Amino acid sequence: AVEKIHFEGAQFRRDIAAKALRKKPVWHCYICGVELIPVPRGHQGALLPNHSTNDHVPPDGLFNNPKPSNPIIVHCCHECNTKHSNFDEQLRIMAALEINADEGGKRIALEKVFGSTMKNLRQPEFMIELAQSMMGKVVQTPIGSERVMVFSIKKTRIEEGIKNIVKGLLAHFYPDFFYQNQHFEILDIHSATLVENDPQPQLAICRELIAKAKSDIRGSHGEFQFWQHVESEAKVGVWLLLFYSSLAFLVCHEPAESAEQRRKRFDPKPM
């Protein structure tokens, strides 16, 4: 006979309860939301698109050695992990070459950007794009405005990757927050943008967020800092991501329908 457990008037068969405890959790890709399947033990050959892999948020290559002892690792499908792999190195190039990069960023530039990416001729299309866009421009530095050579990239190239970093942070810190239907707005802040227009509105938002929001820092040289304020019930959030103390992204997210309603409210009606 199967032994039964009596608990608050309900009866649970011990064998069914044991099976429930052994049931494996269902994981979803933090980027696209697809349900993941585990890679079978001893699997050989190519992975399936929805095979489960681990992804570092932000990319592990952004950090100097020794690597963070508390890395943020989330579940990712093999397809997304492969599709977005180039962004890791491209973000490292952009952040480390920023004129105001701190010592950690300068070390990354020397050892990984010049000493690895450029030396081994990786990311050729991206590097050509940077070279073709280079021009003299006045930027903001700790000693004031200075004219230097700067490069630019397509906004769409970086926005998707930054959005995925925020998705990974949400998946890690707010696992019950459903963000797949969210609209993300991204603003980049660095030495060039701070002299193009009045920087005070941007800086005021950042200062307010830094003063009120939760903060975190990762890396032996503080390579990645972030501040976040998320309201789960309202389904909104704002994040400030800072790489090498020089390249920042302000990211706001809200339900897509809310963003569309706001756009219609403020956009002029067609004649």
Side-chain angles (χ1 to χ4, degrees):
V2 177
E3 184 181 351
K4 296 182 179 180
I5 304 172
H6 294 268
F7 179 70
E8 294 183 348
Q11 293 183 341
F12 297 88
R13 290 181 53 172
R14 189 180 295 277
D15 56 344
I16 294 178
K19 288 181 180 179
L21 291 173
R22 290 197 301 267
K23 187 177 180 180
K24 295 182 179 180
V26 177
W27 300 108
H28 294 84
C29 174
Y30 81 95
I31 294 178
C32 70
V34 69
E35 184 174 325
L36 300 172
I37 59 175
V39 179
R41 184 172 298 178
H43 176 80
Q44 296 182 351
L47 296 179
L48 297 176
N50 61 334
H51 263 148
S52 180
T53 64
N54 290 331
D55 199 16
H56 288 80
V57 177
D60 185 61
L62 289 169
F63 297 100
N64 288 287
N65 290 323
K67 301 291 186 181
S69 58
N70 56 343
I72 299 172
I73 301 176
V74 290
H75 298 280
C76 184
C77 71
H78 172 64
E79 183 175 20
C80 285
N81 211 339
T82 304
K83 178 181 177 182
H84 299 286
S85 59
N86 283 335
F87 169 77
D88 301 4
E89 196 164 32
Q90 292 168 6
L91 176 61
R92 185 172 69 191
I93 294 170
M94 291 183 292
L97 295 183
E98 166 63 30
I99 189 171
N100 293 323
D102 58 19
E103 289 304 314
K106 292 176 181 177
R107 181 179 171 186
I108 288 288
L110 180 63
E111 297 179 1
K112 295 188 176 182
V113 176
F114 294 111
S116 180
T117 302
M118 293 185 179
K119 179 180 179 180
N120 296 309
L121 303 178
R122 293 198 304 273
Q123 304 288 337
E125 293 183 5
F126 181 70
M127 298 305 298
I128 291 174
E129 180 183 339
L130 295 186
Q132 292 177 342
S133 70
M134 292 191 72
M135 58 183 294
K137 196 170 187 177
V138 175
V139 301
Q140 192 65 35
T141 71
I143 61 175
S145 298
E146 185 177 349
R147 188 172 184 82
V148 298
M149 294 299 293
V150 301
F151 57 80
S152 61
I153 63 167
K154 295 178 182 178
K155 191 175 182 179
T156 53
R157 182 189 289 275
I158 191 69
E159 279 191 338
E160 189 67 20
I162 295 300
K163 180 172 70 173
N164 289 338
I165 289 178
V166 173
K167 283 184 174 183
L169 295 173
L170 281 167
H172 180 78
F173 291 104
Y174 300 91
D176 296 327
F177 190 104
F178 183 73
Y179 53 80
Q180 294 298 344
N181 64 345
Q182 296 260 296
H183 172 75
F184 290 77
E185 287 285 347
I186 300 172
L187 174 68
D188 58 303
I189 305 172
H190 48 84
S191 57
T193 63
L194 292 176
V195 295
E196 289 178 351
N197 302 297
D198 180 8
Q200 294 310 313
Q202 295 181 14
L203 295 177
I205 295 174
C206 293
R207 292 192 188 102
E208 183 177 2
L209 183 60
I210 290 173
K212 297 181 179 180
K214 297 178 182 178
S215 64
D216 203 331
I217 185 169
R218 304 289 166 122
S220 57
H221 291 72
E223 291 91 336
F224 177 56
Q225 302 177 62
F226 62 96
W227 294 260
Q228 48 103 349
H229 178 77
V230 175
E231 297 182 9
S232 298
E233 291 187 4
K235 301 178 181 179
V236 297
V238 58
W239 301 73
L240 178 63
L241 314 181
L242 181 62
F243 301 92
Y244 308 140
S245 303
S246 60
L247 177 60
F249 297 92
L250 184 64
V251 184
C252 303
H253 57 90
E254 62 180 339
E257 59 270 20
S258 300
E260 180 62 19
Q261 291 173 3
R262 182 163 46 80
R263 186 190 66 79
K264 289 180 178 180
R265 189 165 59 249
F266 288 101
D267 283 358
K269 296 182 179 179
M271 300 298 291

